[in-house]
């Protein structure tokens, strides 16, 4: 039964890899993807020596790390909370309510942010002013870009991501809860000694997986939230590749940057997996 | 089970093959395979893509287009693209499978021609044989041939010439009613402007009792890629810098020398002035975060009370709406200070407003090149071109019967003439040649643009077109130079635009200036200036 899956992966993920060589060649339309002159590491060097390299790396790492570190625990906490709700119907309603934002498209989401956070007319902008926090332009400041990005990310996907944890929690043997009760465990103790241990394997696997995308910030959202004021922190590898590769057709250069990005991600994934295997015997491989 | 798996992998493989080669393309199954079946009653079927304005109606409703196809003996299957062309284009060209014609100003760039050799048809011979109207344009306006000719001497894309457009995109407006109400004089210098804006802010200029709803100054959002029109960079004219075509990347020419204003002391002075205005609350606090739609909406206010005091735009009704337009007046360029002896200049955009590169291209793989050229030739007929730009005869243009024409008012009275034009036809995105001999009375919108440009006329007339204007329109860069420049420009604009907005909103230009200039140098701006200078000198030597 695994055969069709292998076929699909092979066709769509392994065969296209021959295109990676574009990063080491000049792009030559008339000779096809693999016919350009061999340039070796020229395009990689061009990227490392480019004026923006350090800034791009710094911004990309900052945004991704903040996203991973802050948005990783949120769905776990949410799942534990929802799991505590005793009343069936309320639980269902709550679950639906929190995972709905996941289906808002990114463009609409950024539009919402623009409307809500606008200092002149936005609800949140007014709220901050009335709290005496002054006129902070949340959309156009280097200090607030990352928090706004991460918090809106959490708000949008937290409910959706909690589903897998809820599923893991539903497999816990009810007898465990009953015996915990008989032993006089409080709610908090039940969570600590029954729920969390049940989630640990899921948490570790998902964390290792999320490390594999540590440098892949969501291009669309960053790009849409960009403006001249937050550019120093919002220019990331993905947006740079778009500006250089798509807008000015430098295919080899953008392929090289993309490959570099993937290699860094792979190193992170590999390292995290090793750490997980050494420390807890739970790992991807 | 085995059978099932075999079937499944066949499906998977089939899907892979399908997605591997892009669907759609030149499956033009015509009855007469032979080219030249032009007007034998059988129509030649062609495919075409046009990048049109989002407002533009379906092509099937354009009478002039149907007639032009009819006369050329072709039937064109149009694909009308309004968004994301940049993303679509890359994949389309890389697949090598393009339609017979691609229409739309600069929809295919010179860089694309050099990057995808052999994809587009060199039209030099075809024009000689089947393109008398195109030839007529080249003869009457030799510069159009310069625009069309690539470095290798071939012609892959044809230009447009639309003649009637003004010398600049940006006009400067101030609310005259507010000035009168507060008893203020029309400002003539930056300092006077500052005082006027301050009064607008402090004295409830629109008289609605709310002291905080006036926005003394507003300008178009800067974006993250380049400067554009309607931005305060036009004030650099007060310091003698002549911008060309908005100078989006900062390059300009002074006495035959190519320079970049991002490292120019005069730019520093402008930013300091704007920071002074911003700190005093005279500039819209959202000026860098709002988008263009909001910029336009803010100026329209609630339709009764004006909100903005001083701003830039294309034309006053377009900028503030019909209801508020009477309150505003177009104003002359400002001097830096009363004792300044610098000759005021202004952004000179005549070339980019009246000419356009690569408005129509032909596929080298097309089976019906002759028919395609006949159709292109139709577009360049002066009377058809007029309809390409303004809309069909009868609905948009009136024939006065004596060889003269006039633009008709919009059929929908609530619509402004500009919107009507963009709705009805290809407008400025099309391929056209508006001959100088054409006798056409323009619509009210273009007439007002002309009137509102008058206060800028002295400054525009003073510009030395030979030594202070960067003729980007007529320069073709080699692929290598183009790549070098776009890499450097991407880095430079990222730094320059973020500093520009940061210095205006928070200040600090004085202490950071020297370090910033060094950094701008690091992005390779000198190399770019060197490249542009080389091509500019070469262009000049051929004049």
């Amino acid at each position: 039964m695994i055969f069709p899956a292998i076929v699909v992966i092979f066709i769509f993920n392994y065969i296209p890899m021959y295109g990676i060589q574009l990063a080491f060649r000049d792009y030559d339309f008339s000779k096809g993807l693999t016919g350009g002159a061999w340039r070796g590491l020229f395009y990689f060097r061009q990227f490392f020596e480019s004026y923006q390299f350090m800034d791009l790396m710094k911004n990309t790492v900052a945004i991704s790390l903040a996203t991973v570190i802050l948005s990783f625990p949120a769905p776990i906490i949410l799942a534990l909370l929802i799991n505590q709700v005793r009343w069936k119907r309320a639980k269902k309603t709550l679950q639906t309510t929190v995972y709905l934002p996941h289906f808002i498209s990114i463009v609409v989401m950024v539009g919402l942010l623009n409307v809500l956070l606008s200092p002149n007319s936005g609800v949140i902008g007014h709220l901050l002013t009335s709290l005496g926090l002054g006129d902070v332009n949340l959309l156009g400041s280097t200090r607030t870009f990352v928090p706004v990005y991460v918090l809106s990310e959490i708000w949008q996907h937290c409910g959706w991501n909690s589903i897998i944890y809820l599923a893991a929690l539903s497999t816990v043997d009810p007898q465990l809860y009953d015996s915990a009760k008989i032993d006089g465990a409080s709610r908090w103790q039940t969570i600590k000694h029954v729920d969390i241990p049940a989630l640990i394997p899921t948490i570790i696997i998902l964390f290792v997986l999320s490390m594999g995308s540590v440098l892949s910030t969501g291009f669309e959202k960053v790009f849409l939230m960009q403006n001249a004021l937050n550019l120093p922190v919002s220019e990331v590898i993905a947006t740079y590749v778009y500006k250089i590769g798509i807008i000015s057709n430098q295919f080899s250069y953008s392929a090289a940057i993309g490959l570099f990005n993937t290699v860094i991600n792979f190193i992170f994934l590999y390292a995290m997996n090793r750490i997980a295997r050494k420390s807890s015997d739970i790992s991807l491989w | 089970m085995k059978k099932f798996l075999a079937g499944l992998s066949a499906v998977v493989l089939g899907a892979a093959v399908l997605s591997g080669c892009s669907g759609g393309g030149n499956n033009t199954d015509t009855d007469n395979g032979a080219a030249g079946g032009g007007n034998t009653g059988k129509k030649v079927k062609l495919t075409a893509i046009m990048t049109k304005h989002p407002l533009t109606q379906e092509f099937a409703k354009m009478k002039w287009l149907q007639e032009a196809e009819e006369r050329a003996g072709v039937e064109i299957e149009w694909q009308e693209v309004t968004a994301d062309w940049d993303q679509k284009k890359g994949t389309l060209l890389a697949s090598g499978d393009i339609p017979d014609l691609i229409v739309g100003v600069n929809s295919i760039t010179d860089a694309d021609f050099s990057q995808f050799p052999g994809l587009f048809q060199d039209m030099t011979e075809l024009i000689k044989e089947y393109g008398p109207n195109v030839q007529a344009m080249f003869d009457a306006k030799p510069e159009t041939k310069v625009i069309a000719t690539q470095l290798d001497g071939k012609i892959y894309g044809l230009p447009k010439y639309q003649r009637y457009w003004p010398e600049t995109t940006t006009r400067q407006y101030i609310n005259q009613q507010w000035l009168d109400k507060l008893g203020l004089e029309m400002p003539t210098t930056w300092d006077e402007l500052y005082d006027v804006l301050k009064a607008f802010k402090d004295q409830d200029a629109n008289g609605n009792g709310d002291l905080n709803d006036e926005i003394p100054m507003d300008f178009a959002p800067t974006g993250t890629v380049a400067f554009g029109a309607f931005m305060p960079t036009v004030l650099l004219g007060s310091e003698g810098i002549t911008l060309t075509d908005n100078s989006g990347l900062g390059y300009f020419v002074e006495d035959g020398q190519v320079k970049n204003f991002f490292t120019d002391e005069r730019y520093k002075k402008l930013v300091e002035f704007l920071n002074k205005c911003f700190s005093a609350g005279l500039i819209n606090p959202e000026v860098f975060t709002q988008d263009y739609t909001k910029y336009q909406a803010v100026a329209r206010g609630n339709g009764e009370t004006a909100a903005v005091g001083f701003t830039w735009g294309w034309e006053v009704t377009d900028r503030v709406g019909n209801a508020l337009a009477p309150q505003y007046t177009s104003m002359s360029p400002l001097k830096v200070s009363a004792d300044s002896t610098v000759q005021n200049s202004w952004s000179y955009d005549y070339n980019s407003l009246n000419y356009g590169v690569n408005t129509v291209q032909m596929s080298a793989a097309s089976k019906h090149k002759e028919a395609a050229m006949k159709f292109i030739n139709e577009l360049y007929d002066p009377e058809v071109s007029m309809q390409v730009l303004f809309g069909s005869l009868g609905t948009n243009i009136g024939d006065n019967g004596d060889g003269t024409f006039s633009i008709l008012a919009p059929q929908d009275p609530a619509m402004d003439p500009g919107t009507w034009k963009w709705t009805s036809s290809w407008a400025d995105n099309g391929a056209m040649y508006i001959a100088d001999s054409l006798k056409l009375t323009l619509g009210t919108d273009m007439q007002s643009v002309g009137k509102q440009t008058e206060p800028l006329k002295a400054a525009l007339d003073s510009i030395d077109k030979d030594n202070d204007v960067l003729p980007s329109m007529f320069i073709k860069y080699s692929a290598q130079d183009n790549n070098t420049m776009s890499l450097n420009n991407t880095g430079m604009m990222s730094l320059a635009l973020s500093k520009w907005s940061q210095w205006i909103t928070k200040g600090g230009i004085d202490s950071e200036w020297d370090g910033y200039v060094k950094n701008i140098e690091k992005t390779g701006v000198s190399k770019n200036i060197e490249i542009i200078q080389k091509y500019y000198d070469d262009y000049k030597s051929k004049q």
Side-chain angles (χ1 to χ4, degrees), chain B residues 90-317:
Chain B
T91 29
L92 177 80
L93 299 187
S95 76
D97 190 8
I98 58 170
D100 296 316
L101 294 169
I102 296 182
V103 187
V105 172
N106 212 18
S107 48
I108 303 293
T109 60
D110 291 344
D112 294 330
F113 293 142
S114 54
Q115 182 141 31
F116 299 100
L119 196 54
F120 295 96
Q121 174 66 27
D122 172 21
M123 295 189 256
T124 317
E125 293 305 315
L126 287 164
I127 291 170
K128 281 188 189 132
E129 204 154 344
Y130 305 105
N133 291 330
V134 180
Q135 193 58 51
M137 171 175 77
F138 286 167
D139 295 340
K141 293 269 162 197
E143 66 274 23
T144 55
K145 193 166 182 182
V146 173
I147 299 176
T149 311
Q150 299 298 320
L151 286 174
D152 58 6
K154 298 194 164 67
I155 296 178
Y156 301 114
L158 295 175
K160 68 166 180 176
Y161 170 63
Q162 58 190 88
R163 174 183 155 199
Y164 288 112
W165 263 245
E167 289 173 294
T168 182
T169 318
T170 305
R171 270 148 288 279
Q172 190 164 260
Y173 300 104
I174 194 160
N175 193 316
Q176 186 70 47
Q177 196 172 309
W178 289 10
L179 285 176
D180 297 344
K181 181 174 175 289
L182 304 177
L184 299 162
E185 292 286 309
M186 171 70 72
T188 58
T189 66
W190 289 9
D191 293 334
E192 287 174 15
L193 176 70
Y194 178 85
D195 295 337
V196 163
L197 296 178
K198 193 106 184 80
F200 282 173
K201 184 172 173 61
D202 297 340
Q203 302 178 26
D204 186 24
N206 60 15
N208 65 347
D210 185 343
L211 276 172
N212 299 318
D213 66 339
E214 284 87 3
I215 296 173
M217 186 202 294
D218 203 3
F219 51 86
T222 313
T224 59
V225 182
F227 279 119
F230 323 137
M231 293 183 191
T233 40
V234 289
L235 293 177
L236 289 167
S238 314
E239 304 180 88
I241 293 181
T242 301
L243 306 181
T244 316
D245 304 331
N246 303 320
S247 290
L249 301 168
Y251 298 100
F252 68 101
V253 173
E254 196 167 29
D255 303 330
Q257 292 302 307
V258 177
K259 298 177 181 176
N260 190 303
F261 64 65
F262 283 124
T263 52
D264 197 303
E265 286 288 337
R266 291 170 287 183
Y267 169 75
K268 180 173 174 229
K269 198 166 174 177
L270 170 68
V271 174
E272 280 166 349
F273 170 70
L274 291 168
N275 172 240
K276 183 174 133 187
C277 293
F278 194 92
S279 312
L282 306 182
I283 299 179
N284 183 352
E286 294 193 38
V287 71
F288 293 113
T289 49
Q290 64 188 359
D291 61 5
Y292 190 79
T293 318
K294 191 160 181 192
Y295 166 71
Q296 288 287 78
V298 165
R300 280 167 169 69
N302 56 7
E304 292 160 26
T305 319
V308 175
F310 170 84
T311 187
W312 293 278
W314 166 251
E315 192 272 334
V316 72
T317 54

Side-chain angles (χ1 to χ4, degrees), chain A residues 241-254:
Chain A
V241 167
Y242 171 78
K243 284 174 190 171
I244 270 291
I246 309 284
I247 303 279
S248 48
N249 279 350
Q250 313 227 12
F251 297 130
S252 300
Y253 186 48
S254 18

Side-chain angles (χ1 to χ4, degrees), chain A residues 1 4 11 27 29 46 51-52 118-121 137 140 226-229 231-232 235 243-244 248-251 253, chain B residues 8 13 16 93 112 115-117 223-224 284-286 288-289 294 483 486-487 490-491 494-495 498 501 505 519 523:
Chain A
M1 268 323 282
I11 290 172
Y27 176 75
F29 170 73
Q46 189 175 52
Y51 169 76
Q52 287 178 280
S118 145
N120 285 355
S121 52
N137 188 345
Q226 248 183 20
N227 57 45
L229 279 167
L231 207 54
E235 188 78 302
K243 284 174 190 171
I244 270 291
S248 48
N249 279 350
Q250 313 227 12
F251 297 130
Y253 186 48
Chain B
L8 192 88
L13 276 170
L93 299 187
D112 294 330
Q115 182 141 31
F116 299 100
T224 59
N284 183 352
E286 294 193 38
F288 293 113
T289 49
K294 191 160 181 192
N483 279 354
S486 64
L487 277 179
T490 306
S494 221
L495 171 67
S498 57
S501 55
T505 51
N519 281 334
T523 63

Side-chain angles (χ1 to χ4, degrees), chain A residues 10 61 76:
Chain A
F10 182 74
V61 170
I76 303 171

Side-chain angles (χ1 to χ4, degrees), chain A residues 108-130 133-141 143-153 155 221 224-227 229-230, chain B residues 284-291 294:
Chain A
V108 175
M109 183 68 207
V110 176
L112 274 175
L113 286 177
N114 283 336
V115 171
L116 292 173
L117 304 182
S118 145
N120 285 355
S121 52
V123 178
I124 296 177
H126 278 303
L127 199 68
L128 286 177
T129 319
S130 62
L133 290 170
D135 286 339
V136 191
N137 188 345
L138 290 167
L139 298 164
S141 143
R143 273 176 317 157
T144 55
F145 175 80
V146 176
V148 167
Y149 178 89
V150 173
L151 288 173
S152 58
E153 198 73 358
W155 176 82
K221 199 167 162 190
L224 289 167
M225 284 174 70
Q226 248 183 20
N227 57 45
L229 279 167
N230 61 30
Chain B
N284 183 352
E286 294 193 38
V287 71
F288 293 113
T289 49
Q290 64 188 359
D291 61 5
K294 191 160 181 192

